[in-house]
Amino acid sequence: MCPEDSVQNMIEEWWVEDDSFEYDRGRLINVFLPHIGQIPKKLVAGGRPEATDHIHADFMIEPLRIKESQKKSAIPVAALPAFENEVNAIYRAKKRPALIVCEGGENIDEQLTLGKPKWQTAPTVLVAPYYGVDEGGSEADFNPEFMMRVRHCMYPQFMWEKLPVAGESILRFDLMQPVGRHHDAIELTAYRLSEDALIILDEWLRWLIHREFREDSLLFFFKEEMKKIIK
């Protein structure tokens, strides 16, 4: 059961079981997603054990600053080819629950992609990651007061959630990102949001992007009721 002071409690059925193999909007999935730091990092080839060795190399991890010029690596490494105006970014990543927010658009006619690199039109879905309330250990746990405010829908970028597979979590809309629409990239769970829950999701995205609500918005009604209770 969800707490009475959560918007999920206003919906008769928030999560529903679904054993299909479709990448539908509102589907709960598991996927490897990067930790997003304020300054990204890059992998820079620093040298080779032997001049003729093009497989092994020494690497350094350096900050990837937007205002610094990025030079093409002078040390060729077969596993990491260097291209003009490109870098090899590096991230920590973790397998975590996520929500498919957008199914990614229409399929492209194969005749339009013949002979072209796959990255131009490879299908993706847009997902938002969930972060477990206590997944980081005692020092990294979320502040209880912050959690209460999130549950009361005070921030458009955060939504409190009780997942059927991982317990109490926070959904971060501000970390939405594309993921390849492929079975080797996405693990489907047997759950998706109900049709009523999808209405709340759409209202939430409107709040996040436009900072406004429809007059009949259930999410807006809940927020206003919370303001009366929590001073």
Side-chain angles (χ1 to χ4, degrees):
M1 294 291 293
C2 293
E4 292 185 359
D5 62 342
S6 69
V7 71
Q8 287 82 0
N9 190 62
M10 301 185 69
I11 303 298
E12 182 176 351
E13 193 173 30
W14 187 261
W15 291 105
V16 294
E17 293 191 19
D18 186 341
D19 59 0
S20 69
F21 294 95
E22 301 298 328
Y23 302 108
D24 295 327
R25 185 172 72 98
R27 188 64 178 265
L28 181 61
I29 63 173
N30 291 310
V31 64
F32 276 101
L33 293 177
H35 294 280
I36 304 299
Q38 291 295 297
I39 302 175
K41 294 181 173 62
K42 61 182 177 179
L43 197 63
V44 180
R48 292 196 297 264
E50 298 180 11
T52 57
D53 187 347
H54 291 273
I55 298 177
H56 303 92
D58 297 324
F59 289 93
M60 299 173 292
I61 298 177
E62 298 178 353
L64 178 56
R65 296 189 172 92
I66 190 67
K67 294 182 180 179
E68 291 182 354
S69 61
Q70 306 299 327
K71 297 180 180 179
K72 182 178 178 180
S73 175
I75 304 169
V77 180
L80 291 172
F83 299 99
E84 203 67 44
N85 299 320
E86 290 189 6
V87 299
N88 290 302
I90 183 170
Y91 300 88
R92 290 169 49 218
K94 182 176 181 178
K95 183 178 179 180
R96 64 175 63 256
L99 185 74
I100 296 181
V101 176
C102 173
E103 297 170 10
E106 300 293 338
N107 293 325
I108 308 300
D109 188 337
E110 291 183 359
Q111 295 298 320
L112 302 176
T113 63
L114 287 176
K116 299 299 181 182
K118 290 184 178 181
W119 62 261
Q120 290 184 348
T121 55
T124 64
V125 293
L126 191 63
V127 309
Y130 288 101
Y131 286 79
V133 170
D134 57 359
E135 70 177 44
S138 59
E139 292 185 0
D141 288 353
F142 289 101
N143 182 294
E145 175 68 20
F146 169 73
M147 285 298 303
M148 184 188 70
R149 294 187 178 197
V150 171
R151 194 168 63 249
H152 295 162
C153 305
M154 296 183 66
Y155 309 106
Q157 69 270 40
F158 303 124
M159 182 173 78
W160 182 90
E161 180 64 277
K162 188 174 183 179
L163 297 178
V165 296
E168 191 176 7
S169 302
I170 286 180
L171 180 63
R172 290 200 57 174
F173 289 106
D174 59 340
L175 292 181
M176 284 189 289
Q177 55 199 279
V179 175
R181 197 164 67 197
H182 193 280
H183 60 84
D184 281 339
I186 293 174
E187 180 181 72
L188 299 173
T189 74
Y191 299 93
R192 63 173 175 82
L193 293 179
S194 68
E195 292 302 315
D196 288 338
L198 284 174
I199 293 174
I200 297 293
L201 175 64
D202 288 340
E203 292 177 359
W204 206 296
L205 292 173
R206 183 185 182 93
W207 177 31
L208 174 72
I209 297 170
H210 299 290
R211 293 296 196 271
E212 65 180 23
F213 298 92
R214 298 185 188 278
E215 292 183 0
D216 60 348
S217 168
L218 183 61
L219 176 59
F220 179 70
F221 170 77
F222 175 80
K223 283 173 54 61
E224 292 302 299
E225 289 300 304
M226 287 299 99
K227 288 181 181 179
K228 299 176 183 177
I229 299 173
I230 308 298
K231 300 298 183 180

